[in-house]
Amino acid sequence: MNSNHNKQAINATPSEFLLGIRAFFPLIFAATPIGLLFGALAAQKGLSPLEVLLMGSFVFAGGSQFLALDLWSEPLPWLTIALSTWLINLRHVLMSTSLAPKLTHWTTRQRYLGFFILADEVWALSEQRAIKTQTTFGYYLGVGITLFLTWQISTVAGSLIGSVLGDPARYGLDFAFTALFICLVMSFWQGRKTGVVLAASGLAAVFTHTYVPGAWYIIAGAAAGVVAAAIQYDDKPANIKAAVEVARS
Amino acid sequence: MTSEIFAVDPLVLFTILAMAAGTYLTRIAGLILTKFVVFSGRTEAALQAVPPAILMSVVAPTAFATGIAETAATAITAIAALRLPLLPAIAIGVISVVILRLALAFV
């Protein structure tokens, strides 16, 4: 047996695939309601169920899909949406940079195909697996395909149900986006430095939103937060003032 | 009804493909970058701040510049998010904004 054969054998065993499905299983119950919510809100914005399915299949990144929906309006600001999607998904650069060195036993094709579905949850479970043993391609697919199917089925179902729900403000669902994003923001909380980043972003965003039309407030807020994080890196208390100044300017 | 379900606007499809292309690039970036680049601590710290900074920017106008009900509900949601899983925390946020809007309408 040559080494290529061994690679195949390690990566394609069905039991590894089943282990991946089992690892993801409890997350089905967390992902489904979020998918239903996404579908329902997408229907309110006028997306057809097929458009919801296409976005879920090609983009497959929940946070950025919610963000795109928030920016969705007539005429469709496609460039702002594409740019915001790209910015919010920049975190994948860190994820793939961290995971890639642990997958040296994958073939090149497996890496480039597999990373198409590198969503947050898939990444987290793969990293977790890599601590204990090898994250095989089979295991990765078990996790990834289960999330992929859960996401597509729940979002399409949500869009079919959502079109008969009516005005989302009636149930406070217009606030659901905001609530979801606040929860996600809090999941990034790592102490005072995060607070400064958030204060810089929040101030810059509100300021820009008040005085500049369009979705520039997202770019301005993101830039302020990134600058605040870069400034804070050498960890001197005086930099907090500088970060706030950046946010105000 | 069937035609509505399968309707695809060309501009919508184009937007989706533009989103997909950018997202795929961020996902395979690590495969390419780890071959050539070693991130400095400062660059990594800046990159790590990108997701929360963007999320914060998206919610800030609604959360802080819409009304008292929204700002209060934002604070409640943030506290709930520290203690509860995602869905209960969102539910608390949505319920509190409905109650606060109703309550403030009578003030």
Side-chain angles (χ1 to χ4, degrees):
Chain A
M1 264 228 248
N2 62 35
S3 66
N4 250 344
H5 250 99
N6 276 328
K7 262 188 184 177
Q8 293 280 329
I10 292 169
N11 284 329
T13 37
S15 63
E16 283 285 320
F17 184 72
L18 289 177
L19 277 174
I21 295 176
R22 203 172 71 184
F24 186 79
F25 190 74
L27 289 175
I28 291 177
F29 302 100
T32 300
I34 297 170
L36 287 170
L37 176 67
F38 176 82
L41 291 166
Q44 305 292 346
K45 290 282 185 170
L47 273 85
S48 74
L50 180 57
E51 286 169 341
V52 168
L53 178 64
L54 288 173
M55 191 195 281
S57 306
F58 283 116
V59 183
F60 193 53
S64 64
Q65 288 184 242
F66 272 105
L67 174 64
L69 222 48
D70 198 42
L71 299 169
W72 212 268
S73 54
E74 283 293 330
L76 196 60
W78 67 271
L79 188 61
T80 309
I81 290 173
L83 196 61
S84 306
T85 301
W86 185 73
L87 279 172
I88 200 168
N89 284 331
L90 273 180
R91 68 183 185 285
H92 293 138
V93 176
L94 287 171
M95 292 179 183
S96 58
T97 305
S98 153
L99 189 59
K102 293 153 193 154
L103 308 176
T104 46
H105 56 293
W106 289 23
T107 65
T108 306
R109 187 184 294 179
Q110 284 174 337
R111 276 182 240 166
Y112 280 89
L113 282 177
F115 274 30
F116 184 76
I117 54 169
L118 185 70
D120 299 9
E121 297 83 356
V122 180
W123 171 77
L125 288 174
S126 302
E127 288 278 2
Q128 210 178 26
R129 179 79 172 166
I131 296 169
K132 288 173 278 179
T133 171
Q134 272 188 337
T135 301
T136 59
F137 190 60
Y139 181 88
Y140 180 92
L141 281 187
V143 171
I145 289 176
T146 314
L147 172 62
F148 193 87
L149 292 178
T150 307
W151 184 243
Q152 310 317 342
I153 292 168
S154 61
T155 53
V156 170
S159 74
L160 289 168
I161 301 162
S163 47
V164 293
L165 269 177
D167 181 13
R170 228 170 68 201
Y171 315 97
L173 282 181
D174 57 321
F175 193 73
F177 276 128
T178 311
L180 169 72
F181 285 160
I182 291 162
C183 294
L184 292 177
V185 165
M186 297 312 280
S187 72
F188 287 101
W189 188 266
Q190 285 175 337
R192 198 205 67 220
K193 281 188 178 179
T194 318
V196 178
V197 168
L198 294 180
S201 298
L203 280 171
V206 170
F207 184 84
T208 313
H209 185 259
T210 311
Y211 296 104
V212 184
W216 287 105
Y217 65 95
I218 295 172
I219 311 294
V226 166
V227 170
I231 290 171
Q232 283 188 102
Y233 180 65
D234 37 12
D235 203 16
K236 289 171 194 156
N239 284 325
I240 294 168
K241 279 181 197 164
V244 174
E245 286 306 314
V246 167
R248 283 194 183 133
S249 61
Chain B
M1 188 64 196
T2 320
S3 62
E4 283 172 29
I5 291 175
F6 295 108
V8 178
D9 182 272
L11 183 58
V12 169
L13 182 62
F14 176 76
T15 307
I16 289 170
L17 292 178
M19 290 169 69
T23 304
Y24 185 59
L25 281 180
T26 65
R27 285 183 168 145
I28 59 165
L31 298 173
I32 299 155
L33 283 177
T34 42
K35 285 186 187 159
F36 305 108
V37 194
V38 178
F39 283 127
S40 76
R42 190 184 295 274
T43 313
E44 195 170 334
L47 267 178
Q48 253 162 2
V50 170
I54 290 173
L55 291 165
M56 187 65 185
S57 311
V58 172
V59 298
T62 311
F64 305 119
T66 309
I68 299 166
E70 284 76 14
T71 305
T74 297
I76 293 167
T77 312
I79 294 164
L82 288 176
R83 281 141 223 262
L84 297 171
L86 185 59
L87 285 167
I90 293 174
I92 286 175
V94 169
I95 292 164
S96 56
V97 87
V98 171
I99 294 171
L100 285 162
R101 279 174 186 167
L102 275 174
L104 288 166
F106 290 108
V107 173

